[in-house]
Amino acid sequence: MIGDAAIPFVRRKSSTYENFYVDCPYCGFPNTFNRATDFQSFEPIARLQVTCQKADCAKSFFIGGDLVNPAWQMLIVDCHALKSQKHYAYCILNLAQAFEVYLSLFLRVELLYKPYAKEGTHDLDHLNRLFELLYCKTKKFTFNPLSNVFMNMIVGPPNLRDLSEAEVFINCLPSKTTCPSDDSIGTLSDKALSQLLVDLKNPFVMTFRHQVVHKRAYRPTLQEVESSMDETQRLLYGLDHKLGLLNDDLNYYVGLANGG
């Protein structure tokens, strides 16, 4: 039997939110592995044994060196390749999705992970029920109600101490979708954060997204894509810097709560 040490290890050629690209070390065939279908996992690939997809090769090798960016960042990163291939409409859709993925991450962190980490019981059954409840309460939220909930939670943090308090708050989410006024946002002591929230109210990419998915199927220009990319990166990276939403890992927040 050939040991693991005899099997070559190859770093990624490139990777995206959906796929992992690598050339076979034996025949040079450009393999495209889909995360959902081929890996059945969305975890970053550090070391995984795969088989060359070229039928007359089909040799095994290890792959790794994957990107570890959170999903919302991966969607932005993917836009660079889409832009170079002149898939401008897909760039707009990716950027719009990046906003919604980021805002959804914020809700999971603040309404699920942090309250779970703070309480002593660590009731996973309760946490799983709240995952489903949060999904049910927000599944019909488009960008505007989702961003309004986000902004309201920044302006008036709920300071939830456990999952029971989180459950009450989640049940009230549909009533928290009114857009906060610029005056209320302006009460924040962090003026840079205030400006980011004001700018979040109506990003250009959302206007373009509505036009792209409309029955007219609008085709954006390179200039519109570049301005949307610049704005998306400024807003989301700026907010992430202020709020510190580093990842989607429950154990990370448990460690923080325990002083790790």
Side-chain angles (χ1 to χ4, degrees):
M1 180 179 293
I2 298 176
D4 285 356
I7 303 176
F9 176 87
V10 185
R11 294 180 64 84
R12 68 183 176 91
K13 184 176 182 180
S14 63
S15 57
T16 67
Y17 182 66
E18 285 194 286
N19 298 323
F20 188 104
Y21 303 93
V22 63
D23 293 340
C24 175
Y26 299 101
C27 68
F29 182 76
N31 290 268
T32 300
F33 295 102
N34 181 268
R35 298 182 190 275
T37 301
D38 298 316
F39 295 156
Q40 298 182 24
S41 170
F42 302 108
E43 294 299 315
I45 305 301
R47 183 177 176 85
L48 178 69
Q49 187 170 351
V50 298
T51 301
C52 180
Q53 294 173 325
K54 187 177 181 181
D56 58 1
C57 178
K59 292 182 179 179
S60 294
F61 56 97
F62 285 102
I63 60 173
D66 200 3
L67 293 176
V68 294
N69 304 61
W72 63 271
Q73 288 184 11
M74 290 287 286
L75 289 165
I76 297 173
V77 170
D78 286 358
C79 286
H80 294 286
L82 291 171
K83 187 180 73 168
S84 68
Q85 297 162 7
K86 300 188 178 182
H87 294 310
Y88 299 150
Y90 289 111
C91 279
I92 295 298
L93 297 179
N94 262 43
L95 294 172
Q97 188 178 11
F99 274 101
E100 295 180 356
V101 169
Y102 180 82
L103 297 175
S104 295
L105 171 60
F106 174 83
L107 294 188
R108 287 196 300 279
V109 169
E110 295 298 324
L111 302 182
L112 300 175
Y113 297 165
K114 288 184 177 180
Y116 174 88
K118 287 178 183 177
E119 67 180 17
T121 57
H122 292 342
D123 187 342
L124 282 174
D125 289 335
H126 194 185
L127 178 66
N128 288 329
R129 290 197 303 273
L130 291 196
F131 263 105
E132 182 63 25
L133 178 64
L134 181 61
Y135 170 75
C136 290
K137 292 294 182 180
T138 61
K139 64 181 178 181
K140 294 184 179 180
F141 282 11
T142 57
F143 170 77
N144 285 334
L146 192 60
S147 61
N148 289 345
V149 168
F150 170 80
M151 289 186 284
N152 282 317
M153 289 178 64
I154 299 299
V155 173
N159 297 318
L160 305 171
R161 294 172 294 181
D162 53 36
L163 290 178
S164 294
E165 291 187 359
E167 184 169 4
V168 173
F169 190 88
I170 292 170
N171 275 310
C172 294
L173 281 179
S175 67
K176 301 180 184 298
T177 57
T178 301
C179 184
S181 67
D182 289 358
D183 288 341
S184 64
I185 293 174
T187 61
L188 293 172
S189 59
D190 188 332
K191 299 309 175 186
L193 177 58
S194 295
Q195 188 58 56
L196 287 169
L197 295 182
V198 170
D199 294 344
L200 182 66
K201 288 187 175 185
N202 190 31
F204 295 131
V205 70
M206 290 302 166
T207 299
F208 294 137
R209 194 269 294 271
H210 296 327
Q211 294 173 343
V212 167
V213 300
H214 192 266
K215 59 186 177 183
R216 285 181 52 242
Y218 178 72
R219 285 168 285 199
T221 66
L222 173 60
Q223 182 179 4
E224 289 169 336
V225 165
E226 289 182 334
S227 65
S228 295
M229 287 180 67
D230 288 344
E231 180 186 52
T232 300
Q233 291 179 99
R234 178 178 65 83
L235 289 176
L236 293 187
Y237 282 98
L239 288 168
D240 192 60
H241 175 72
K242 292 291 184 182
L243 304 178
L245 297 179
L246 301 180
N247 54 56
D248 201 3
D249 182 1
L250 172 62
N251 291 327
Y252 170 80
Y253 297 98
V254 172
L256 284 182
N258 292 332

